[in-house]
Amino acid sequence: MAAEIAGSRVTQPDRDALRAVAADLERTRQPFDAARTLPGAVYTSEEIFAREQRGLFGRHWLCVGREMDIPAPGDYFLKEFARDSIIILRGQDRQVRAFYNVCRHRGSKLLDAPQGRGLAGVLCPYHSWSYNLDGTLRAAPLMGETFRKADAGLVPVRLGIFHGFIFVNLDESAEPLDRYLADLPDLARFQMQSLQCGKRIEYDVDANWKLVCENYSECYHCAANHPQLIRISEHIARGERVQEIGACFNGGPMRMREGIETMSMSGKTTLPTIPGLTHDDRRYVHYYVIYPNMLLSPHPDYVLVHTAWPIAPDRTHVVCEWLFTGEAVTQPGFDPRDVVEFWDVTNRQDWALCERAQAGISSRGFRQGPYQPTEDCVYTFDRWYADRLAALI
């Protein structure tokens, strides 16, 4: 007997495997001291990957870019996830909107280039239907007098803006973005909406997207694997730490060592500090996982952002951006290499660890393990995920 679930056909052996995963998830959902890490199948199973795509990435607010990516009318970029291609564009009225990249005639894909500038409209290459930048249908050749253009505009996707970041949600019934992010710490002092991208690097990692998020959430591995990081910052002892937790995020700080000005290869900076920051803001770096896949790190003189996009159970595409003040970017000789190299080296060290973990978890010898005392942020992320996956199986 088979049933249609999450867009795939589930056989009886699949059902049995999902029941086993559900039972294993209960071990992750226990109190911290008794809990065990997520079961191996959530990192390797095609069926669970499909359920994540529909039930998590198809129903949560996802950061897809920034308003500054599309500064002028007709500027756009595409984002693909959960088997959908989405157009994010700025209209003639300067409003940012999102639409499915699908013609309303016979479903042709509309745009192919991942980004573009100055579109006058959107033209379908199949039958030449054309759309205005607000999604309304401009022309549909030879459709006849009874055809109503007003009924055939592009299908919109819900969109919201948070400190200059563009979020979209494929779930029409989802709560508004401002309500979803309501319990995040107040980040207004970092002025992220005015920061400019000084560098962007994209990585392909042969590991599950959750391993990327988990690795970001702990520094138990830092001493053995990040010599440049340990020289610059220190892991705060558990008794001193203040883990920040909300419905949509969790995170915690690391403190820069005495004499260190910023997270860079030299530990020094020639970049202006983000105006208005407190003394503590200049001594600490915060690491926030905004569920499911945004990793946000405010620094004294820049903000580092990663987004982890699942490609397959064992493959993730990571987009990393370094955001600087306008004063920094426009100063003569602006050169972010010191901070970019620091995090590029750290990233590549982390991706190698994630790939090593993926290889081990894929073994039949893998068993759920305990959390180390400083892995409370990993546990919080895993618990959030386990609660939601349990509802999907």
Side-chain angles (χ1 to χ4, degrees):
M1 179 178 180
E4 194 77 17
I5 299 178
S8 62
R9 296 196 64 81
V10 182
T11 64
Q12 188 58 46
D14 289 333
R15 288 177 180 276
D16 294 340
L18 289 172
R19 289 193 187 100
V21 171
D24 288 338
L25 288 175
E26 290 305 310
R27 305 183 73 193
T28 305
R29 300 169 78 187
Q30 296 300 307
F32 181 76
D33 289 339
R36 291 296 181 267
T37 56
L38 291 168
V42 306
Y43 303 97
T44 60
S45 165
E46 293 282 357
E47 179 59 34
I48 288 175
F49 180 81
R51 288 168 187 258
E52 288 177 349
Q53 290 292 290
R54 295 294 184 184
L56 286 181
F57 285 82
R59 295 180 183 174
H60 278 77
W61 286 101
L62 304 172
C63 178
V64 294
R66 301 179 69 236
E67 285 191 282
M68 284 197 174
D69 296 334
I70 44 174
D75 293 352
Y76 80 92
F77 63 88
L78 304 181
K79 194 66 188 180
E80 297 189 3
F81 60 91
R83 298 185 179 179
D84 280 301
S85 177
I86 310 300
I87 305 169
I88 298 93
L89 59 77
R90 191 177 292 275
Q92 293 294 346
D93 58 1
R94 304 200 64 82
Q95 292 297 307
V96 179
R97 298 179 177 86
F99 303 98
Y100 287 97
N101 190 14
V102 178
C103 182
R104 290 295 306 277
H105 173 217
R106 281 173 51 196
S108 173
K109 183 179 181 182
L110 295 166
L111 298 175
D112 295 317
Q115 60 188 25
R117 301 292 186 193
L119 285 181
V122 178
L123 177 68
C124 179
Y126 198 173
H127 299 98
S128 298
W129 281 33
S130 63
Y131 301 86
N132 298 308
L133 298 181
D134 63 0
T136 55
L137 181 63
R138 176 187 298 171
L142 306 176
M143 285 301 293
E145 295 181 0
T146 60
F147 175 71
R148 286 174 46 85
K149 290 195 295 183
D151 297 334
L154 296 178
V155 177
V157 174
R158 294 188 66 187
L159 181 145
I161 306 293
F162 170 76
H163 292 304
F165 292 100
I166 301 172
F167 285 73
V168 298
N169 194 321
L170 305 185
D171 183 358
E172 296 179 3
S173 63
E175 63 183 336
L177 177 65
D178 57 354
R179 191 181 306 164
Y180 179 69
L181 299 178
D183 60 354
L184 268 178
D186 183 4
L187 300 174
R189 66 194 186 280
F190 289 98
Q191 304 181 43
M192 292 186 291
Q193 71 281 357
S194 66
L195 301 183
Q196 300 182 31
C197 183
K199 183 67 174 180
R200 175 187 176 113
I201 300 179
E202 301 189 26
Y203 306 89
D204 289 309
V205 185
D206 291 333
N208 187 273
W209 68 277
K210 295 182 290 298
L211 289 173
V212 172
C213 295
E214 290 165 341
N215 181 84
Y216 175 88
S217 299
E218 53 93 355
C219 211
Y220 184 35
H221 70 279
C222 291
N225 296 280
H226 297 315
Q228 77 290 343
L229 180 66
I230 290 300
R231 183 176 61 84
I232 295 294
S233 66
E234 55 187 335
H235 193 217
I236 300 172
R238 191 179 186 193
E240 298 180 65
R241 293 183 67 221
V242 178
Q243 185 191 11
E244 299 172 81
I245 302 175
C248 70
F249 85 103
N250 89 87
M254 288 185 71
R255 182 172 51 221
M256 286 185 284
R257 297 186 185 276
E258 288 298 323
I260 297 300
E261 298 173 356
T262 194
M263 306 286 273
S264 65
M265 293 302 286
S266 68
K268 304 298 181 181
T269 182
T270 59
L271 303 172
T273 300
I274 297 171
L277 296 185
T278 67
H279 173 76
D280 279 352
D281 288 331
R282 293 192 292 271
R283 300 300 309 142
Y284 290 85
V285 176
H286 291 267
Y287 300 88
Y288 299 115
V289 178
I290 300 176
Y291 307 140
N293 70 326
M294 182 183 187
L295 314 177
L296 181 65
S297 307
H299 293 62
D301 49 347
Y302 62 97
V303 172
L304 183 70
V305 186
H306 298 78
T307 48
W309 298 97
I311 304 301
D314 59 353
R315 287 194 298 124
T316 303
H317 185 72
V318 180
V319 179
C320 181
E321 293 187 319
W322 288 257
L323 311 179
F324 301 91
T325 66
E327 179 187 357
V329 172
T330 58
Q331 70 182 11
F334 168 68
D335 185 355
R337 282 180 295 179
D338 201 19
V339 298
V340 170
E341 182 184 357
F342 179 86
W343 283 113
D344 184 43
V345 167
T346 305
N347 282 340
R348 294 179 190 279
Q349 291 165 341
D350 281 333
W351 308 154
L353 295 172
C354 292
E355 291 174 350
R356 180 176 291 275
Q358 182 73 40
I361 289 170
S362 300
S363 168
R364 68 187 68 192
F366 172 76
R367 302 292 185 272
Q368 291 171 269
Y371 293 96
Q372 194 267 349
T374 62
E375 293 180 314
D376 44 0
C377 288
V378 180
Y379 166 73
T380 302
F381 171 81
D382 287 354
R383 176 69 184 265
W384 173 87
Y385 171 83
D387 287 345
R388 279 143 192 83
L389 182 61
L392 298 176
I393 60 178

